[in-house]
Amino acid sequence: MSTSSSTSTSSSLSTSTSSSSSEPSVNAFQVDLRGLVDLLSHHLYSSPRVYVRELLQNAVDAVTARLAHDPSAPTGIRLTATGDAVTMEDTGIGLTSDEVHTLLATIGRSSKRDALDSARQEFLGQFGIGLLACFVVARQIRVVSRSAREPGEPPVEWLASDDGSYTVRTLPHDARPEPGTTVRLEPRPGAEEWTEPDRVAELARDFGSLLPHEVTFTGPDATDRPLTERPAVWDRAHPTPTARRVALAGHCARVFGFTPLDSIDLDLPVAGVRGVAYVLPSATSPATRAAHRVYLKGMLLTDRADNLLPDWAFFVRVVLDTDTLRPTASRENLYDDETLAAVRDALGARIRDWLAELAAGDPDRLAAFLTVHHLGVKSLARHDAELFRLMLPWLPFETSDGRVTLDEFVRAHPRVHFTRTVEEFRQVSPIAAAHGLGIVNGGYTYDADLIALLPQVRDGVTVGELDAGAVTAHLDPVEPQQELALAGFLATARTRLDALGCDVALRAFQPVTVPALYLDDREARHERDRAAAEEGADTLWSDILGALRGSAPRARLVLNHNNPLVRRIAAIPDTELAGTAVESLYGQALLMAQRPLRPADTSLLNRAFLGLLEWATHPVGGTTTTPQEGDQ
C-alpha cells in the first residue's frame, strides 16, 4: 500500500536544483495533497467508487505476498461498512515501522517493487498509487499493520488526514497479535453516499466477485456475507450442457440485462484469457460501441471495454478474466498494444469457429442466429472467403427471385447482375423478374461487396453491375414493321430528350402497367455529373472537364409498346403535343427511379406539366401557345 503525505502539510519528492553556480543544494518538491487528490478524482478516475477497488487490491496483493513468503498462511479478507466508517482487514504480509515511513508516504513507491518483485506478475497493482485514491472519499485514513516478515516487530499505526499530514507510532503487541493490515476510512463531508453499507457491498461485489481469495462483507447488522463467487460461472461444473446454458443465461441476465440467444466459450490459455461471449437476442447497429466486461486477475477492470473484439463482432457482449493484458494507468480500461491486438484477433477467430461449428452441426441454431444477426456475419464474410463460402447456403439477399440465398440464386442465374441502390433495384426488379433477368439488390450494407466476391467461391459465376444495355437486351423487341411505323414519333422523342443526355428505345415488356422505364448505370451518371460541372465551370475548368469527356453510354428511356398510353401518345399527329407527352413520361420515369433531379430535369417537369394543362383546357378548334423553356 502507498499514498502521498508529509510530516507537516505536504508530501515531498527529492530532486536537485541549483542555489549557486558552484555548489548545488538538495531541495524538495512541495506537493499539495488536496490538489493531487482533486486531479485524480477529476482526470484519472471516472468515479469515486474506485476507492473500494484500491482497498480490495491492496488486501489481495498483501495476502498474495504473504503466501509467497509462507504458503501455509491464512488468506482472510474482511470488508466492513457501518455508515460512519469503512474498514478493510487482511491477513497479508503487513508492514514494519520503517516500511510505513518509506512506502505509505511517498508518491509512486510500492511495496510490491521491493523484496517480492520476483512475484510481481501475481499482483493486481502496478502503479504504486495505493491508498492515495481513498482520499477521494476519505477525510482520514488509519492503517494498523504488523509485518509477517518481521514477526517480532510491534504493530505500527499510520494516521493520515486529507490536509497532507500524517503521524506514525508503534502500538502494544496486543493491539494486533497476528500479522496483517487493517485500513479504516472516515468519510469526508459530501462523500457519505459512497460509504453507505449497501453501496460499499454492491461495489465490492462488482469489483471483487472473481478474486482468488475469499472476501467477506460485514454490515451494520454484523452479518457476514461472502462477496466472491469462485470459480467463475464459465468454469463451473454442471451436470448437463443444458444446465450450463441455463446458468450462463442467468449470469448474462444479471450482468448485461438480457437473455442471450446463445453463448460462446472464449478459452485462450496461451493468451491467459478465459471467459464467455453472449450473443445479443436482437439486432443492433454496427456503429454501436460495445461494452464488454473485463477482469484482471479476478479484479474488475472495466465494464465498458470497447476495444476487445474486432469491429464486425458487434453482435456479442463479452465477460472475461485475463492475466496478460495491460491496464491503463487508472486501471479502468485496456491499453491498446500488440498483446491486445493479438488477443482481439484470437477472440475473433473463436467467434468465427463457433459460426462454422453451427453451420456444420446445428443448422437450426444457425438459422435462428442469422435471422437476427446476418449483418454481422456479412461484415465478417467480406474479409474471409472461406467463411463466405460456408455461409452462402444461409445468408439471405433480396433478389428478383424474392428473398433467397446467393447459393440458390446462382443455380438459376450464373450471370449475376446487381444494383448499387435499393431504389434502382425496386424499379427494375419486377420487369427483370418477368423477363428472366437475375438481379440482386446490392444497396444494403455489405451486400455489394459480398456479391463481388461470388466468383471467388463459386466456379462458373460471373458478376456485373446492372447497366441499361443489359436490361434493354432482355426486353422483347418490337416487330420491325411496327417500329418503322413509329419512326417519326421516336425521332421526336429523341430530339426532345437529347439535351438531357438521354436516349429513347422502344420495347415490349411486362408489367403492362409501366409506360416507361428510366435506365442508367454508373458510367452514365459520371458522364452526366461531368457535363453538369462543365456547364457551371469557368473557362479553364470547362476546358479541363471537356477533355475528360468519355464515350460512356448515356441514360435511356425505354418506352413500353405494350402500354396503351404509350400507343396513344405515339399516335398523336401533333408533334409538339407528342413531344410534351414524352417529356412527361420521362419525368414520371425519373421520379419512379428516385434519381436526384437536376435543374434541367426540374424545368422539364414544370414545362411538361403546364403544357399538358394548356392542351387539356384549350377550346376545341382553338389555338394554344406551348410554354417555352424557362416558363414556370
Side-chain angles (χ1 to χ4, degrees):
M1 291 179 285
S2 63
T3 189
S4 166
S5 187
S6 72
T7 57
S8 57
T9 61
S10 62
S11 296
S12 63
L13 292 171
S14 295
T15 186
S16 293
T17 185
S18 177
S19 60
S20 68
S21 59
S22 57
E23 294 293 335
S25 63
V26 178
N27 296 281
F29 282 117
Q30 299 301 312
V31 180
D32 177 20
L33 182 60
R34 285 181 175 174
L36 188 56
V37 169
D38 181 71
L39 179 68
L40 290 174
S41 61
H42 288 90
H43 299 282
L44 182 61
Y45 299 126
S46 63
S47 167
R49 73 191 196 118
V50 297
Y51 87 92
V52 175
R53 184 194 64 197
E54 294 297 329
L55 289 175
L56 286 169
Q57 172 189 294
N58 287 336
V60 171
D61 285 347
V63 169
T64 301
R66 187 172 180 187
L67 288 176
H69 176 74
D70 177 9
S72 63
T75 58
I77 299 173
R78 180 182 299 277
L79 177 63
T80 304
T82 62
D84 297 328
V86 175
T87 304
M88 177 69 76
E89 183 175 5
D90 65 66
T91 58
I93 195 67
L95 300 171
T96 65
S97 178
D98 290 342
E99 289 171 335
V100 164
H101 278 290
T102 303
L103 301 174
L104 295 189
T106 305
I107 298 173
R109 181 69 65 84
S110 171
S111 60
K112 298 183 282 292
R113 290 198 178 101
D114 298 322
L116 296 172
D117 194 61
S118 61
R120 182 176 171 80
Q121 67 274 13
E122 300 299 325
F123 296 127
L124 300 173
Q126 298 290 317
F127 298 96
I129 295 175
L131 286 179
L132 188 61
C134 295
F135 277 115
V136 172
V137 300
R139 178 186 66 83
Q140 184 183 77
I141 301 176
R142 180 175 185 260
V143 178
V144 176
S145 186
R146 184 163 191 163
S147 174
R149 288 193 293 263
E150 301 291 342
E153 292 285 326
V156 59
E157 176 196 70
W158 181 81
L159 185 64
S161 299
D162 62 355
D163 63 1
S165 64
Y166 74 91
T167 61
V168 176
R169 62 173 179 150
T170 57
L171 301 176
H173 284 272
D174 57 1
R176 183 174 182 97
E178 299 297 329
T181 300
T182 301
V183 181
R184 185 177 186 275
L185 310 181
E186 291 186 10
R188 66 166 62 208
E192 293 86 352
E193 62 172 305
W194 297 103
T195 59
E196 292 177 354
D198 289 343
R199 174 65 69 88
V200 174
E202 176 188 358
L203 293 176
R205 185 177 292 106
D206 198 38
F207 280 117
S209 60
L210 298 185
L211 287 173
H213 308 307
E214 183 176 352
V215 180
T216 303
F217 176 79
T218 304
D221 58 0
T223 301
D224 293 342
R225 287 177 281 171
L227 296 178
T228 47
E229 300 176 0
R230 300 285 295 185
V233 62
W234 53 82
D235 285 329
R236 295 175 194 166
H238 298 277
T240 64
T242 300
R244 186 174 188 272
R245 280 198 296 270
V246 170
L248 289 174
H251 176 257
C252 178
R254 290 192 303 273
V255 172
F256 292 118
F258 65 84
T259 300
L261 191 65
D262 208 340
S263 57
I264 308 168
D265 284 323
L266 304 176
D267 189 5
L268 305 173
V270 175
V273 170
R274 184 82 175 94
V276 62
Y278 294 115
V279 181
L280 290 167
S282 57
T284 186
S285 168
T288 301
R289 300 301 294 175
H292 305 298
R293 193 174 180 88
V294 179
Y295 292 82
L296 178 62
K297 301 168 188 169
M299 179 73 78
L300 178 65
L301 182 71
T302 179
D303 56 5
R304 296 186 298 274
D306 59 5
N307 56 353
L308 187 63
L309 294 181
D311 291 339
W312 56 260
F314 54 83
F315 51 83
V316 299
R317 297 294 178 265
V318 168
V319 182
L320 60 78
D321 189 16
T322 176
D323 57 15
T324 59
L325 299 179
R326 288 176 56 198
T328 58
S330 64
R331 294 195 297 281
E332 293 186 298
N333 212 333
L334 293 171
Y335 188 76
D336 211 334
D337 56 8
E338 293 181 357
T339 302
L340 178 58
V343 169
R344 183 163 48 233
D345 290 344
L347 293 176
R350 178 64 195 98
I351 296 172
R352 178 200 177 282
D353 291 344
W354 171 78
L355 288 170
E357 291 164 7
L358 287 188
D362 201 338
D364 291 339
R365 282 171 66 199
L366 178 62
F369 166 77
L370 289 177
T371 299
V372 179
H373 295 299
H374 58 274
L375 195 60
V377 177
K378 286 181 177 180
S379 174
L380 171 59
R382 291 179 305 150
H383 309 290
D384 191 328
E386 185 57 36
L387 180 65
F388 184 39
R389 187 196 312 275
L390 187 68
M391 292 291 108
L392 265 184
W394 307 99
L395 290 176
F397 286 78
E398 187 176 12
T399 75
S400 53
D401 291 351
R403 192 166 180 80
V404 299
T405 67
L406 288 181
D407 202 42
E408 298 174 78
F409 187 77
V410 297
R411 294 194 194 110
H413 305 282
R415 173 62 179 171
V416 177
H417 299 272
F418 69 96
T419 63
R420 290 280 178 183
T421 66
V422 175
E423 293 77 15
E424 184 181 5
F425 172 81
R426 290 175 179 170
Q427 182 203 12
V428 176
S429 178
I431 299 167
H435 292 270
L437 180 63
I439 300 176
V440 182
N441 184 357
Y444 294 118
T445 306
Y446 309 132
D447 282 8
D449 294 337
L450 292 177
I451 296 166
L453 291 175
L454 265 175
Q456 298 182 25
V457 298
R458 284 291 183 270
D459 294 334
V461 174
T462 58
V463 171
E465 185 174 349
L466 184 69
D467 57 53
V471 177
T472 306
H474 277 75
L475 303 180
D476 296 334
V478 178
E479 292 293 333
Q481 297 87 346
Q482 293 176 321
E483 187 165 3
L484 184 62
L486 298 176
F489 164 72
L490 293 176
T492 298
R494 288 166 181 149
T495 300
R496 283 296 185 101
L497 299 184
D498 182 68
L500 298 170
C502 182
D503 292 332
V504 177
L506 184 66
R507 293 290 187 274
F509 57 86
Q510 300 295 327
V512 71
T513 54
V514 178
L517 183 64
Y518 179 83
L519 299 173
D520 65 354
D521 49 33
R522 185 164 51 179
E523 288 79 7
R525 290 191 289 272
H526 286 174
E527 175 61 20
R528 191 166 63 246
D529 293 341
R530 185 208 59 77
E534 182 180 356
E535 289 179 5
D538 57 27
T539 304
L540 173 62
W541 281 109
S542 180
D543 291 343
I544 294 174
L545 291 169
L548 295 176
R549 182 182 295 111
S551 59
R554 305 204 303 172
R556 185 174 302 179
L557 182 69
V558 183
L559 300 176
N560 188 359
H561 190 253
N562 290 338
N563 183 269
L565 176 61
V566 171
R567 291 190 180 189
R568 288 197 295 270
I569 292 174
I572 295 174
D574 189 321
T575 57
E576 191 64 36
L577 177 58
T580 301
V582 168
E583 290 178 338
S584 298
L585 289 177
Y586 169 85
Q588 188 265 352
L590 198 64
L591 292 174
M592 291 297 294
Q594 299 189 32
R595 294 287 191 272
L597 296 181
R598 298 167 294 170
D601 297 327
T602 303
S603 176
L604 176 142
L605 284 171
N606 289 332
R607 186 172 65 250
F609 177 72
L610 294 176
L612 290 177
L613 284 179
E614 183 73 20
W615 282 101
T617 58
H618 79 278
V620 177
T623 59
T624 63
T625 301
T626 303
Q628 298 302 308
E629 184 171 355
D631 292 344
Q632 300 296 315

